Amino acid sequence: MTSATPGPQPQADPAPAAPAPAGQRPRPRPRPRPRLIATDLDGTLLRDDKSVSDRTVAALAAAEEAGIEVFFVTGRPARWMNVVSAHVHGHGLAICGNGAAVVDLHGGPGTHSFVKIRELERASALDVVRRLRAASPGTAFAVERTGGLHHEETYPPLHMEPAESVAPAEKLLAENPGDPAVAEQPVLKVLAFHSELAPDDFLALARAAIGDRATVTRSSPSALLEISGPGVSKASTLELCCAERGISPEEVVAFGDMPNDIEMLSWAGTSYAMGNAHPDVIAAASGRTVANNDDGVAVVIERIVAKRREQNS
């Protein structure tokens, strides 16, 4: 993958710690200074009204000024990134669709471009639909393509926009869905909704039915699942972006609140669950901050930046 701008050069490994005197514990190797902040949006960086607070805007700018890259890593599609497109600095990139796309937001609202796509193959998507129909009757499906959302008639209006088309999932995923332009658009993920199952129960059921044929997660408080290609997650795509820049997991600080953040929080050297986070997220993170409505991401960033200024003074 080629990024929009070259990343910083890798830092040299720290010198090995000197042997401890007899009878003393060796000193722990100092943790590398953060070089990249990876933050989820909904329930994490954004307040519940979907706004970015003034405090958070200032913290993001301070991080970039201190030489720390900020990546927005979200389940949102690229076209829903207007809420933060004014706050991208430097590289201008965001990871969208739970890792299915890397998007350049430099152009501003409505002019984003895809830098990398990790699609869900059509045959795999059809297999997912077949398996979930059998395992959980009553499931309603939607298909997220690079050009928009397509869904079944029974799929509820959960999103911010009307569907590009309405039809059974099998037709939406057919080799020829009726519109040649749509057929050329990669599938980023399949969404599955159940009106009766509890969210975590639906997630467990779907993972058992699908296995490693696709990646199944969720970020909604409702029983809405997000299904991506095998191995596609926020963590795996973030790892690719960091590798381009010579950034190690130990140099990454990550924030999240829902199950779709767990792999990213486990991968990053330092991670924070929000005060409002799902219990499984709290268990996966190395630390915890206050809730999104209390600017929990900004609280940590301010501390990181203050420490860097102190070290540089």
Side-chain angles (χ1 to χ4, degrees):
M1 183 179 72
T2 303
S3 61
T5 57
Q9 295 301 309
Q11 297 175 338
D13 289 336
Q24 291 187 18
R25 292 182 179 179
R27 292 182 180 179
R29 174 179 287 188
R31 182 176 291 277
R33 301 203 317 179
R35 295 177 59 198
L36 187 141
I37 290 168
T39 178
D40 173 49
L41 294 182
D42 297 282
T44 300
L45 187 82
L46 304 182
R47 291 187 168 183
D48 287 348
D49 64 2
K50 306 306 179 185
S51 67
V52 185
S53 72
D54 291 343
R55 181 179 183 180
T56 297
V57 170
L60 295 174
E64 294 280 358
E65 185 178 352
I68 304 169
E69 292 192 76
V70 177
F71 263 69
F72 301 126
V73 188
T74 178
R76 287 183 173 221
R79 61 188 179 280
W80 291 4
M81 296 299 289
N82 295 355
V83 66
V84 292
S85 60
H87 310 302
V88 293
H89 305 267
H91 59 80
L93 301 179
I95 296 171
C96 297
N98 290 329
V102 180
V103 182
D104 187 344
L105 301 178
H106 268 130
T111 59
H112 60 265
S113 59
F114 289 97
V115 175
K116 183 177 183 62
I117 294 172
R118 304 180 70 193
E119 68 181 291
L120 173 61
E121 295 291 343
R122 188 180 61 83
S124 296
L126 283 167
D127 187 38
V128 162
V129 169
R130 179 180 64 81
R131 289 174 178 276
L132 275 184
R133 286 211 196 279
S136 53
T139 300
F141 294 95
V143 178
E144 178 70 50
R145 293 182 180 267
T146 52
L149 184 73
H150 308 257
H151 64 67
E152 296 186 319
E153 188 173 359
T154 55
Y155 188 83
L158 298 169
H159 302 283
M160 306 176 182
E161 61 194 349
E164 297 290 325
S165 62
V166 179
E170 290 80 1
K171 183 175 181 180
L172 297 175
L173 292 166
E175 189 170 359
N176 180 7
D179 184 340
V182 171
E184 294 177 0
Q185 297 172 9
V187 174
L188 299 180
K189 60 183 177 179
V190 166
L191 299 121
F193 176 82
H194 205 285
S195 61
E196 298 178 4
L197 292 173
D200 286 335
D201 291 345
F202 191 27
L203 178 60
L205 182 154
R207 284 176 170 170
I210 294 169
D212 60 2
R213 298 170 183 85
T215 300
V216 187
T217 190
R218 75 176 189 88
S219 61
S220 170
S222 64
L224 176 65
L225 305 183
E226 302 163 63
I227 304 166
S228 307
V232 175
S233 68
K234 290 185 176 186
S236 61
T237 301
L238 177 62
E239 183 176 14
L240 292 174
C241 293
C242 287
E244 283 189 327
R245 291 160 169 72
I247 296 175
S248 68
E250 292 73 25
E251 295 170 308
V252 176
V253 180
F255 298 87
D257 73 305
M258 288 296 282
N260 64 329
D261 298 313
I262 288 174
E263 292 89 349
M264 177 175 74
L265 298 180
S266 300
W267 176 82
T270 304
S271 58
Y272 292 89
M274 306 305 293
N276 50 288
H278 186 284
D280 291 348
V281 176
I282 294 170
S286 61
R288 193 173 182 186
T289 185
V290 296
N292 62 317
N293 284 334
D294 297 319
D295 300 325
V297 174
V299 168
V300 176
I301 292 177
E302 289 165 357
R303 190 162 65 238
I304 291 171
V305 171
K307 183 175 181 180
R308 177 155 297 191
R309 287 172 177 162
E310 180 183 334
Q311 290 172 339
N312 292 340
S313 62

